[in-house]
Amino acid sequence: MSSDEVARAFARSFAGPHGATALAHLRTITIDRRLGPEASEALLRFVEGQRALVATIEALIARGRG
């Protein structure tokens, strides 16, 4: 499977109102999440990994729509 096929699959998967709702939820619990000063280094690394995954999904969707 080519990377263009994967990008188009992500674009199709997140198309429409249900996909937009799911993607908005992923953004809320990852990219928009703020941790306090008491957060451990392990938690910071974990959340950053989640953010990177959501950012990758968003980039694939954008590429698949383009």
Side-chain angles (χ1 to χ4, degrees):
M1 184 174 290
S2 75
S3 62
D4 287 340
E5 289 174 310
V6 171
R8 285 191 298 272
F10 269 87
R12 285 190 304 271
S13 296
F14 285 92
H18 297 297
T21 298
L23 191 58
H25 176 70
L26 289 174
R27 275 191 75 76
T28 298
I29 65 172
T30 59
I31 294 173
D32 297 338
R33 182 178 179 191
R34 301 294 176 254
L35 301 174
E38 73 286 349
S40 68
E41 182 179 342
L43 180 58
L44 291 170
R45 290 176 183 272
F46 177 73
V47 171
E48 190 56 32
Q50 290 179 323
R51 289 176 180 154
L53 180 58
V54 172
T56 299
I57 291 169
E58 290 180 331
L60 284 167
I61 292 167
R63 200 171 96 219
R65 289 178 179 162

